[in-house]
Amino acid sequence: METLLDLVDDAMARFGDRPCVAMRLEDGTTTGWTYQELDRRSRAAALRLRGLGLEAGDRLLTWSPSAPELVATYLGAMRAGIVYVPLDLRMSKEAIEGVVTTSGAKHLAIGTGRDAPDPAAFGLGDFPRTTVDEIAAPPDPALEARLADVATWPRPRPQDLVQLIFTSGTTGTPKGVMLAHDNLLASNRTFHRIIPPMEHRIVSLLPLSHLLEQAVGLFYAMSVGASILYVRSRNPRVIFDALREHRVTSMVVVPQVLELFWSAIEREVEKAGRTTVFDALRSIGRRLPMAVRRRLFRQVHASLGGAFRIFVSAGAFLPPALQQAWEDMGVIVLQGYGATETGTGSCTTLWDHGLGTVGRPPEGIEMRLAPDGEVQFRGPTLFKGYWNRPELTAASFTDDGWYMTGDVGHLDPQGRLILSGRKRDLIVLPNGFNVYPEDIENALRIAGLRDSVVLETKPGRVEAILLVPSDAPIRATGDTLPFDPAAPPADVRTRLDTAIKAANASLGANQHISGWRLWPEMDFPRTHTLKVKRDVVRAWVRGEVAASR
């Protein structure tokens, strides 16, 4: 195979009548397509996109919740040689305006339904657009007769672009990451080395606008004949119903989803009055083979469909206690690390998934640590550069061709990567000691706080900006806290003081938190990929801006 399209066509040929992509509807029913039907819809999509006047190399904006129709649109664009540019549903108006202008896109494929975006609200009211439902609709007889023509079109070359993904970044203007067929195909090969082929039934919660969900939850999934179910609801009860009905085996998630699921399980256990027994069984299960653990917790596994085996988590720090909790019940949690620019970076495996690490680079990917600890990668998964930004592309690579991630880490005694934080966020204390805020923020997560931003507020003083605990007994009427954040209720202050004390006890003397402030809203300002906008928090601390986004 030389291109991602080769992989797609191979999957269509091998798994033709198997279920491929489906959507769980609001009424609980499910509608979906086989591999054969997705093949048919994607060829119809390719013809319709060409019919809109789009040619090979043109850019197509896609802006839709995950759905089979969006998948068919992606594959149709790929068949037509059109570069798709995913917009995230959480993007700001300013970010979308920047992507539209920078990408030079000619058309918009937009989603439908209750959670679909409103183009007019984002300055795209007059932009040429077609719904993904129309693009991926069943072909009429005239179009059906032309489906075979798609096979005669020129095949893409390995170096041809598949998509432009504009990274959010926590500062600055989003950058268009150019990903070609050979990059994505190389990433797919690495996933086969991390997760060997098995029967996969996947429930997809992450948006398809993100590379992680595309690369693992779609392209890898198709290459092993998986059945993929899209669920848009974030209601744990609705999601658990979908997991059980689909008899899910594996999922791609971010740590927040793992926490959401685990909290739901703990609430059910507490409601049944079995917390003590549950905790005792976890302690026993930790010493047993995975298959035995699943039998030990068969009631919980029954609520998940009875076949759940693997979580693949990435995108943020995974608290070791949360990973351990799932693995106590026989669900392996793989932790991956990488950027849009790197594709696969490093990942734990089914055979080596130690707590607190992001594993090793898979075969075919090279990784090294620079003298200052920066993690750098080299290999075929690396992107082709930033769209129309040659100077920025050049500045992102070393003279000998290694991509500089800007992340700092170190290796544990087994050679597995442990991340410390971003180089640009480094705090240098007056005594010359280096402090990485993420090390402290991770200690606070382990101490029970959902998120924080650690800053040097004046020379030598390290403070934590904290969110109010998610289970605090408060009633907010919106984003803003219902009390003065400088004078929180006594129970909230006690919770935060206790967490700070626990975190400090686990940190080195030079890493200790000198004080804390409570962020005046229920959540931090975030990018569309849910990363905290640290510059906004810094400006708030300096009194330069209000907290509100």
Side-chain angles (χ1 to χ4, degrees), residues 87-138:
L87 295 176
D88 192 277
L89 296 176
R90 296 187 182 92
M91 275 183 170
S92 66
K93 182 175 183 290
E94 294 72 23
I96 286 177
E97 288 173 345
V99 172
V100 172
T101 301
T102 304
S103 68
K106 294 184 175 181
H107 205 88
L108 167 64
I110 194 164
T112 60
R114 188 178 63 183
D115 46 358
D118 176 11
F122 289 81
L124 296 178
D126 297 326
F127 198 87
R129 65 181 184 270
T130 308
T131 69
V132 295
D133 289 3
E134 293 171 317
I135 292 171

Side-chain angles (χ1 to χ4, degrees), residues 441-449 495 498-504 506:
E441 292 160 8
N442 292 343
L444 287 167
R445 288 190 186 94
I446 293 171
L449 298 184
R495 285 277 304 278
T498 299
I500 294 290
K501 183 177 180 180
N504 278 342
S506 69

Side-chain angles (χ1 to χ4, degrees), residues 505-518:
S506 69
L507 295 165
N510 286 293
Q511 296 174 300
H512 281 185
I513 302 163
S514 304
W516 58 267
R517 307 183 195 188
L518 194 60

Side-chain angles (χ1 to χ4, degrees), residues 329-515:
M329 296 198 309
V331 178
I332 294 175
V333 182
L334 302 182
Q335 173 76 334
Y337 159 68
T340 306
E341 291 88 342
T342 65
T344 313
S346 66
C347 192
T348 56
T349 68
L350 296 181
W351 307 275
D352 183 4
H353 42 98
L355 303 180
T357 84
V358 291
R360 304 176 181 85
E363 181 184 347
I365 309 300
E366 296 179 84
M367 182 185 77
R368 74 180 184 186
L369 300 182
D372 63 356
E374 182 182 42
V375 184
Q376 300 178 353
F377 289 105
R378 186 167 65 180
T381 64
L382 291 184
F383 70 133
K384 298 303 183 192
Y386 295 110
W387 180 254
N388 290 337
R389 300 287 299 276
E391 76 293 340
L392 185 58
T393 301
S396 301
F397 287 84
T398 64
D399 292 340
D400 53 348
W402 292 79
Y403 173 71
M404 299 179 287
T405 65
D407 294 316
V408 174
H410 64 277
L411 303 181
D412 72 2
Q414 288 74 41
R416 300 172 298 197
L417 179 62
I418 298 175
L419 297 171
S420 296
R422 298 289 290 170
K423 284 177 63 174
R424 65 169 177 251
D425 297 327
L426 174 68
I427 297 171
V428 181
L429 299 178
N431 63 4
F433 191 87
N434 291 343
V435 174
Y436 289 98
E438 288 188 22
D439 284 342
I440 303 174
E441 292 160 8
N442 292 343
L444 287 167
R445 288 190 186 94
I446 293 171
L449 298 184
R450 55 192 174 110
D451 215 344
S452 62
V453 174
V454 171
L455 304 170
E456 185 181 35
T457 54
K458 60 183 179 181
R461 181 174 176 81
V462 176
E463 288 193 37
I465 316 304
L466 307 174
L467 294 179
V468 67
S470 57
D471 58 349
I474 62 173
R475 291 185 179 179
T477 57
D479 291 334
T480 305
L481 295 183
F483 53 77
D484 180 0
D491 57 339
V492 172
R493 175 175 290 278
T494 298
R495 285 277 304 278
L496 299 178
D497 283 337
T498 299
I500 294 290
K501 183 177 180 180
N504 278 342
S506 69
L507 295 165
N510 286 293
Q511 296 174 300
H512 281 185
I513 302 163
S514 304

